[in-house]
Amino acid sequence: MAEFVSVARRGDIAEGQGKSFEVSGKTIALFCINGTFYAIDNTCVHRGGPLAEGQLEGTLITCPWHRWQYEVTTGACRTNPNARVSSYPVRVDGDDIQVNC
């Protein structure tokens, strides 16, 4: 059973930005939007691009390699509705950001 794991501190991720972290053997992308944190798989399903390095506009991240777009709140792919990346629950305990994956 998965459990929440500390991955970052609140100050590690600037507002409107993303950053990648290794969590439980997975590489996840963690984003801060309006003070709320969201976690999805960091790997684009199209060609494996690093999503945390993409352009974030609102809740939409664009892969830097081939411009596939994903909702960071759900992992749903806007470019191909049949594709998605996993999304993970996030909680904040004080300044500690924790992800359950």
Side-chain angles (χ1 to χ4, degrees):
M1 181 169 139
E3 60 186 50
F4 282 93
V5 176
S6 295
V7 297
R9 304 286 290 168
R10 193 182 285 272
D12 292 341
I13 304 169
E15 177 65 38
Q17 299 293 312
K19 195 169 183 181
S20 66
F21 295 91
E22 292 294 322
V23 182
S24 302
K26 300 175 186 177
T27 304
I28 62 152
L30 189 61
F31 300 94
C32 180
I33 302 168
N34 296 323
T36 301
F37 295 92
Y38 300 93
I40 60 173
D41 281 333
N42 189 46
T43 306
C44 176
V45 297
H46 175 238
R47 295 278 174 118
L51 295 178
E53 296 176 22
Q55 180 68 35
L56 183 64
E57 293 182 39
T59 61
L60 192 66
I61 187 71
T62 301
C63 179
W65 287 6
H66 299 104
R67 315 235 5 111
W68 277 41
Q69 296 181 315
Y70 299 86
E71 283 291 336
V72 300
T73 58
T74 64
C77 182
R78 286 234 184 132
T79 309
N80 178 350
N82 295 318
R84 72 179 309 108
V85 293
S86 294
S87 63
Y88 305 100
V90 178
R91 71 181 182 195
V92 179
D93 183 13
D95 282 335
D96 195 34
I97 303 169
Q98 302 171 342
V99 177
N100 185 338
C101 61

